[in-house]
Amino acid sequence: MLNNLCAMKKSKEKKNPAEKKKTAFIYSGIVIGALLLGTGIGVTIKLTTSQAEVDYTGFNPSAYQDDASKLLNEFQKNPKQDFSESELVNIGLEKYRQCENSYSIGVGAAETIVNQTIRNAQIKVGNQYFEESLSRSSMVSIATRVKQDGIGNGDLLYKGKASDTEIGEYPSEATYYTSDGYKENWGKTLDEMFIYIISDASVNQENCSKEILENGNIKITLDMNVDIASYYYKIQMKSMSNLSGLPVFEYLRHTYVFTSDMTLLYSHANEKYQAKMAGIAANIHNDIKYYYHANEKINIPQLNEQINYSIEGEIDYE
């Protein structure tokens, strides 16, 4: 079902060594900035030999996704039931999705040719949704905001620039997508919130774990199948970063922390993959921490209103 494609053909254009070095530097700078925006996380990057991407012809992602709403109902009826690690994560994520109000803050950094800062935010207020991604260095200044009013009413995407680590500047014009069009191009609608396919069929169960911490919180680690779990994520990354093709993952390892009643507190993504842009292949290591605030309300900002990305006082969950 998931067949490897042939690697991209090398360019036949000949350049002298100085030109090659200069071109590689320029392209790698572009790749770094674009990929950081696409993932919303810090990366370590080096140019490398291209790997063949996965062929998803005939792949049915819904066949691998659990019914999270059903799992949450089962948990609420019998929380002592023996759930697998992936089922527990789905229960916690679904409980978070169903909150009337919530927000999360993601903070990361990139060590590349130049240092690069990353910020990400999600906000839900009733039936309104918002996301922002910022990526900034001496070479790159990129920002996006997306707004969604209600479910099924489409999404507005604003592309601007990051004028500072935590400040984006946006034009008044937005690109409108229908809900189906946005998911087709960006992997998920804002009300879905989480991009990964999570189920027993999409994780390597022997490498997953559950731990009850001293404070009673539940820590779950998932080692995910690199081709199944990342399907929608790859679509998002390709569109966001204008990649030459879908990324190829080496590993996806995520940690989640929930309270004893499965209220989501924290997640940590540790992922390595290869992506291609402008003929350049790059090995990328993602590392970002997200802090979640279930049942807490902050207002969705106006177009050029700054978000408070401070995580002072947040618990170190690991």
Side-chain angles (χ1 to χ4, degrees):
M1 181 182 298
L2 303 178
N3 300 314
N4 288 332
L5 295 178
C6 294
M8 292 180 64
K9 294 181 179 179
K10 295 181 180 180
S11 173
K12 296 182 179 179
E13 183 180 358
K14 294 184 178 180
K15 297 180 180 180
N16 65 46
E19 289 175 330
K20 288 182 178 180
K21 184 175 181 181
K22 179 179 178 181
T23 301
F25 179 82
I26 293 172
Y27 280 0
S28 62
I30 296 171
V31 171
I32 291 166
L35 291 175
L36 285 174
L37 175 62
T39 58
I41 44 191
V43 305
T44 300
I45 186 170
K46 68 175 182 178
L47 304 185
T48 187
T49 303
S50 296
Q51 297 178 7
E53 66 181 80
V54 176
D55 180 3
Y56 284 100
T57 302
F59 179 66
N60 179 14
S62 61
Y64 295 90
Q65 182 65 64
D66 280 346
D67 186 338
S69 180
K70 180 180 179 181
L71 285 171
L72 178 58
N73 289 335
E74 292 176 358
F75 175 83
Q76 291 170 336
K77 291 176 182 178
N78 182 14
K80 295 184 179 181
Q81 183 176 332
D82 186 19
F83 294 98
S84 69
E85 290 89 354
S86 69
E87 289 174 332
L88 285 171
V89 170
N90 271 321
I91 288 166
L93 299 188
E94 181 63 21
K95 183 175 181 180
Y96 184 81
R97 270 191 293 261
Q98 291 186 15
C99 292
E100 180 71 12
N101 303 298
S102 64
Y103 72 95
S104 68
I105 297 295
V107 178
E111 295 180 1
T112 59
I113 295 175
V114 293
N115 291 331
Q116 191 148 356
T117 58
I118 306 297
R119 296 294 183 269
N120 180 268
Q122 285 186 337
I123 302 173
K124 177 187 178 184
V125 179
N127 221 21
Q128 295 184 323
Y129 301 84
F130 169 92
E131 289 188 14
E132 178 175 68
S133 293
L134 301 174
S135 179
R136 189 171 190 273
S137 72
S138 60
M139 295 178 63
V140 176
S141 176
I142 309 172
T144 64
R145 282 188 174 185
V146 186
K147 292 185 177 182
Q148 179 179 315
D149 186 1
I151 297 175
N153 296 329
D155 298 84
L156 292 174
L157 172 67
Y158 298 85
K159 288 188 176 182
K161 64 178 182 178
S163 58
D164 204 338
T165 301
E166 300 180 351
I167 301 175
E169 297 179 353
Y170 301 93
S172 57
E173 298 81 13
T175 300
Y176 171 78
Y177 290 87
T178 65
S179 296
D180 289 342
Y182 190 80
K183 181 163 184 172
E184 181 180 352
N185 284 275
W186 302 94
K188 69 173 180 62
T189 54
L190 269 60
D191 56 286
E192 293 176 295
M193 292 189 177
F194 304 99
I195 195 77
Y196 303 94
I197 298 174
I198 298 176
S199 67
D200 284 354
S202 74
V203 300
N204 304 311
Q205 291 181 275
E206 66 277 8
N207 296 327
C208 298
S209 64
K210 171 188 171 184
E211 179 184 357
I212 305 300
L213 304 178
E214 291 183 0
N215 58 8
N217 288 342
I218 301 171
K219 178 181 176 180
I220 298 174
T221 301
L222 298 182
D223 180 23
M224 294 189 273
N225 181 288
V226 295
D227 296 326
I228 298 172
S230 65
Y231 174 73
Y232 291 116
Y233 187 33
K234 289 178 178 181
I235 293 172
Q236 181 189 71
M237 295 164 70
K238 183 176 185 294
S239 292
M240 184 75 78
S241 304
N242 194 28
L243 301 180
S244 304
L246 296 176
V248 179
F249 277 83
E250 181 177 331
Y251 60 77
L252 297 101
R253 298 164 188 157
H254 290 188
T255 299
Y256 299 86
V257 176
F258 306 91
T259 63
S260 59
D261 67 352
M262 297 309 296
T263 297
L264 178 61
L265 299 174
Y266 168 88
S267 71
H268 178 200
N270 178 20
E271 307 167 339
K272 186 176 181 180
Y273 61 94
Q274 183 183 101
K276 293 175 287 186
M277 182 179 182
I280 299 295
N283 282 334
I284 303 167
H285 176 225
N286 295 340
D287 197 320
I288 189 169
K289 295 179 178 180
Y290 285 97
Y291 299 86
Y292 298 91
H293 299 263
N295 300 308
E296 295 184 38
K297 181 180 179 180
I298 62 173
N299 292 327
I300 292 175
Q302 298 297 315
L303 184 57
N304 282 297
E305 182 181 356
Q306 182 180 353
I307 293 175
N308 180 8
Y309 279 99
S310 172
I311 57 170
E312 293 180 6
E314 297 284 6
I315 299 172
D316 184 3
Y317 289 100
E318 294 187 271

